[in-house]
Structures are given as structure tokens and as C-alpha cells.
Amino acid sequence: MSIRQAHRGTPHLRVVGTKKTVVERFLSKITVQSNGCWLWTGYRNQDGYGIFRVKGQSLKAHRWGYEHWRGPVSSGKELDHVVCDTPACANPWHVEPTTHQANVLRGDGPTAQNARKTHCPEEHEYAPDNVIITTTGGRRCRTCDRVRKR
């Protein structure tokens, strides 16, 4: 009988000792960079995050690495690349659990950029008494709002 059974209904057999462990498979898909990043060389999704398949399930590589070497991620938290800001990095010491809001505000997207603004386009300070919070959660300058209404 051959190593791989070709007969219908018979499971495929593997040679004992040739299958890599999950950790070996994970480590075979990284290249360590000079900055300490574990650059994922396997499949990456459209956002650049490494995808690692374990037991038929697709997981983000940085999350699998974090949970394997550092422990579980608390419910309601996600991992933020605080050291390198590189989605393809799977180094579990380059990420930290955080809330979605904190993760977004640490980034460079429009939400984070606007949240860091301290003054309106007319240079009025976004002080607590000079801010109107809109129904969508944005903010407007109260001084500019008064000028527009005149």
C-alpha cells in the first residue's frame, strides 16, 4: 500500500515525523527585520495583515502569535501595533491590547487627525465652552457657528 491511499473512503496517510508543528509552520512564515519586526511572508489580506491558518480557521498572524507567546486578548480588545505600526509584523511584543477607539485615535486616519486638532480652521481654540458636538459625533466651533448665523 502506498503512503497516500487512493482508494475511495480511505483517509490519506502521512509519514510519521514529517508534519511541522503549528509553531514551526508559524516561524517558517516570518523574516526577522533589523528593527525587530517579524515580517509575515505568507498570505496577507487586503489591509496587509498576515493570515495564518490553524485547524481550518484563518487567523491574523499577529493575534495568533500574541496569544501563543503572551496570552489571551481580553474580550472587547484588539491588538494595536504600537512599536512599529506595520500590519505585516507578527512580533507579539510589537502589539498591545487596546480598545478599538484607542487604536483608531493612535493611527493616522481622518478620525485621528481631526481628534488631534486643537483649533478650528479660523484658529479658535476647541475649548470645552467653544465646542458643539454634532449628532454624528463631530465637533464644530461655537464662535464660528455664531458668526455664520449673523
Side-chain angles (χ1 to χ4, degrees):
M1 214 178 272
S2 66
I3 297 296
R4 294 189 144 235
Q5 296 292 325
H7 304 293
R8 187 179 185 119
T10 305
H12 295 290
L13 301 175
R14 290 187 182 269
V15 176
V16 178
T18 61
K19 189 174 181 182
K20 289 182 181 178
T21 67
V22 175
V23 174
E24 288 171 331
R25 278 194 320 104
F26 181 89
L27 294 174
S28 74
K29 295 178 184 297
I30 63 167
T31 300
V32 179
Q33 304 291 292
S34 59
N35 64 356
C37 284
W38 295 5
L39 195 63
W40 190 255
T41 60
Y43 175 76
R44 295 183 200 171
N45 69 13
Q46 66 273 14
D47 298 321
Y49 292 97
I51 302 298
F52 186 51
R53 288 189 58 83
V54 179
K55 296 181 181 177
Q57 189 176 22
S58 293
L59 307 166
K60 287 187 177 171
H62 66 282
R63 184 168 186 115
W64 187 90
Y66 185 93
E67 290 182 346
H68 178 76
W69 279 286
R70 299 194 61 190
V73 178
S74 301
S75 179
K77 300 278 183 152
E78 57 188 46
L79 295 175
D80 183 10
H81 285 86
V82 292
V83 174
C84 60
D85 199 28
T86 304
C89 178
N91 185 333
W93 289 273
H94 279 201
V95 293
E96 83 176 20
T98 188
T99 64
H100 180 70
Q101 181 182 19
N103 194 357
V104 168
L105 293 177
R106 288 177 182 169
D108 290 324
T111 302
Q113 290 174 14
N114 285 326
R116 286 192 284 270
K117 291 179 182 174
T118 58
H119 291 74
C120 78
E122 297 299 320
E123 297 299 322
H124 304 122
E125 185 179 9
Y126 280 137
D129 62 341
N130 190 41
V131 173
I132 299 168
I133 304 297
T134 67
T135 57
T136 60
R139 52 187 183 164
R140 288 194 330 245
C141 172
R142 190 176 299 275
T143 304
C144 289
D145 213 42
R146 282 191 211 114
V147 170
R148 271 192 299 276
K149 288 179 180 176
R150 286 188 197 150

